[in-house]
Amino acid sequence: MSLNQISKVYATALLELAQEANSLESTEEELSTLVDIFFSDESIRHYFLSPLVDPSEKERTAEKSVQGKASEIVANFITLVVRKNRFLYLKDILEDFRTGVDRLKNRSSLRIISKDSLGKEAVDRITKSISSKFGRDVRVTEHTDLNLIGGFKIYIDDFLIDASIRAKLAGIEEALLQKKIPVGAFE
């Protein structure tokens, strides 16, 4: 089974459980919080990924750490993921779970990538424009990419709007190459 399939299988199972319990948003929020905690602390992450730690000890630790801090669904899910040695896939499972919730809620995922933060006003304008264009609510996440020269890229689900300077320069280069300017024309 490929890595992508593993996360989708687990996310789909959790999605079905959360939908039956009518707790999609709360499950997503709890899972997101726990994934942030598990992966933000390097010692916790190394503990659960270490082949030297006994798997049953990892399972007991996971169970104790989430007991009382998360709903029964999320606590049992985290324990299962650790028991099945799938801890490494938790971030991917969370992303696939979010995608499933968005699909069920008829919501699109809007990811804005820019060199620097665009600011709340610009993000709100983009969100409003995309929401009205696509006719659905959007979940917005903003990321920075220092490799961008300027401009921004917008991903709406699987659709890309590339308004970066690099894309514009590539377009100009392609147009110039298509013109096939004769040698010596600028001498």
Side-chain angles (χ1 to χ4, degrees):
M1 190 179 298
S2 76
L3 305 178
N4 196 18
Q5 289 175 324
I6 291 171
S7 64
K8 285 190 186 319
V9 167
Y10 280 85
T12 302
L14 182 60
L15 195 61
E16 289 174 7
L17 289 172
Q19 194 173 12
E20 286 175 15
N22 199 24
S23 63
L24 288 171
E25 267 87 17
S26 62
T27 299
E28 180 184 352
E29 188 175 312
E30 289 176 20
L31 185 62
S32 178
T33 301
L34 288 173
V35 167
D36 286 346
I37 291 169
F38 284 141
F39 284 90
S40 65
D41 188 330
E42 198 169 314
S43 60
I44 294 173
R45 187 176 66 248
H46 286 308
Y47 173 82
F48 283 108
L49 294 174
S50 175
L52 301 176
V53 179
D54 181 46
S56 59
E57 184 63 32
K58 289 180 191 178
E59 184 180 346
R60 283 192 296 276
T61 303
E63 189 175 357
K64 286 179 186 175
S65 65
V66 296
Q67 210 66 39
K69 295 178 181 81
S71 66
E72 186 178 345
I73 291 173
V74 175
N76 289 340
F77 181 76
I78 293 292
T79 305
L80 173 74
V81 166
V82 171
R83 180 184 316 129
K84 296 292 186 180
N85 199 23
R86 302 295 195 220
F87 182 82
L88 180 63
Y89 306 107
L90 263 176
K91 283 184 174 183
D92 295 328
I93 292 169
L94 174 60
E95 285 308 309
D96 288 337
F97 183 80
R98 282 182 174 150
T99 301
V101 170
D102 287 345
R103 192 171 43 261
L104 289 171
K105 297 285 185 180
N106 194 29
R107 184 172 54 199
S108 288
S109 172
L110 173 64
R111 201 164 39 126
I112 303 171
I113 301 172
S114 58
K115 182 170 179 70
D116 299 312
S117 180
L118 296 178
K120 183 170 175 27
E121 186 178 311
V123 170
D124 288 345
R125 275 196 333 244
I126 292 170
T127 302
K128 187 184 288 185
S129 174
I130 296 296
S131 182
S132 66
K133 221 24 143 195
F134 284 79
R136 41 179 32 195
D137 289 335
V138 292
R139 175 201 313 252
V140 180
T141 55
E142 186 179 5
H143 304 281
T144 56
D145 181 358
L146 299 177
N147 293 323
L148 287 176
I149 299 169
F152 54 87
K153 293 180 181 180
I154 298 176
Y155 292 90
I156 303 119
D157 297 327
D158 292 331
F159 185 73
L160 167 66
I161 299 172
D162 192 346
S164 66
I165 300 297
R166 178 168 285 143
K168 291 182 194 282
L169 289 174
I172 292 169
E173 178 184 31
E174 182 66 29
L176 287 173
L177 290 174
Q178 292 299 320
K179 293 285 184 189
K180 297 181 181 176
I181 302 171
V183 177
F186 293 109
E187 291 179 20

